[in-house]
Amino acid sequence: MELNSITKLNDLFKNTSRALIIIVAIISLTSTLGYIYLFKEMSELQKNVLVLDKTGGAFTATAVDASYMRVYEYENHVKTFVNLWYAFDEYNYESNIASALELIGEPGKELLAQYKDVNMLNLLRQKNIHYNVQIKDISVNMNTIPTSGKIILTQTGVRPRGQSSREILVEFTLSDVSRSRENIHGCKIDSWIATTISQTQQTAEN
């Protein structure tokens, strides 16, 4: 009888152990599945944010990766520099150049020296010239270190007797810096290699 009792106790213990193992496994599986589901739901919620306008109205907006938006800041930074550096007249030349130098690093010194070599401000005054610029294309590659890109622009110098244009291809690199009032995009141009692709000249008819 004692032997049978011991055998029954052993069997009961084994069965209880198996049941506990199965219960623990089920709980673990349920918890894991619950965590996965919760993680997916939180990820979906994070993609949508609630925005309140000034009137108190609410609407939803979709969140995007910061690096995805950064490329547009880089593009706008370079475009801003181009519009300041390549488009001016005698009245806004100095302010344009000062603002542009806040957006570029060491290459700005070389570019400024080129303008000083031709005495640009006096040239604008004496020959009544003004420059405008048109950006034809820009691309930024976020997969390089540092970030790099290309821009194609056309600068046109207009004077009373006609105008001359040059199409320029520029290869550049960018790096991140602290944002400021003068540099709202928080980046600087580290290299600026400009190549003139073509030149045209038109003379005004008398």
Side-chain angles (χ1 to χ4, degrees), residues 3-129:
L3 182 61
N4 289 336
S5 298
I6 293 173
T7 302
K8 288 179 180 181
L9 286 173
N10 287 336
D11 291 341
L12 180 62
F13 178 77
K14 290 180 181 179
N15 292 334
T16 303
S17 298
R18 292 194 188 103
L20 287 173
I21 292 172
I22 293 172
I23 291 171
V24 170
I26 292 173
I27 293 173
S28 299
L29 179 60
T30 303
S31 299
T32 302
L33 292 175
Y35 175 79
I36 293 172
Y37 175 79
L38 183 62
F39 179 79
K40 288 182 178 180
E41 287 296 309
M42 290 297 294
S43 297
E44 288 299 319
L45 287 173
Q46 288 176 352
K47 292 179 181 178
N48 297 290
V49 294
L50 185 66
V51 180
L52 299 176
D53 60 22
K54 292 181 179 179
T55 63
F59 58 93
T60 58
T62 301
V64 296
D65 192 285
S67 62
Y68 177 79
M69 297 302 298
R70 188 61 169 150
V71 67
Y72 298 116
E73 289 191 305
Y74 286 149
E75 288 181 0
N76 195 260
H77 184 89
V78 175
K79 288 179 180 179
T80 301
F81 174 80
V82 165
N83 285 316
L84 289 169
W85 196 265
Y86 292 95
F88 47 76
D89 56 29
E90 62 177 293
Y91 303 107
N92 62 13
Y93 169 75
E94 292 179 307
S95 61
N96 276 23
I97 296 305
S99 296
L101 289 174
E102 296 287 345
L103 310 179
I104 191 169
E106 287 299 313
K109 296 179 180 179
E110 182 179 346
L111 292 173
L112 182 60
Q114 293 173 8
Y115 279 165
K116 287 183 176 180
D117 286 344
V118 299
N119 205 350
M120 179 61 76
L121 184 56
N122 284 337
L123 188 66
L124 297 171
R125 290 169 176 167
Q126 292 173 6
K127 297 191 175 183
N128 192 22
I129 301 174

Side-chain angles (χ1 to χ4, degrees), residues 136-148:
K136 302 182 72 174
D137 188 37
I138 184 172
S139 61
V140 173
N141 188 349
M142 299 286 287
N143 296 319
T144 59
I145 301 176
T147 301
S148 61

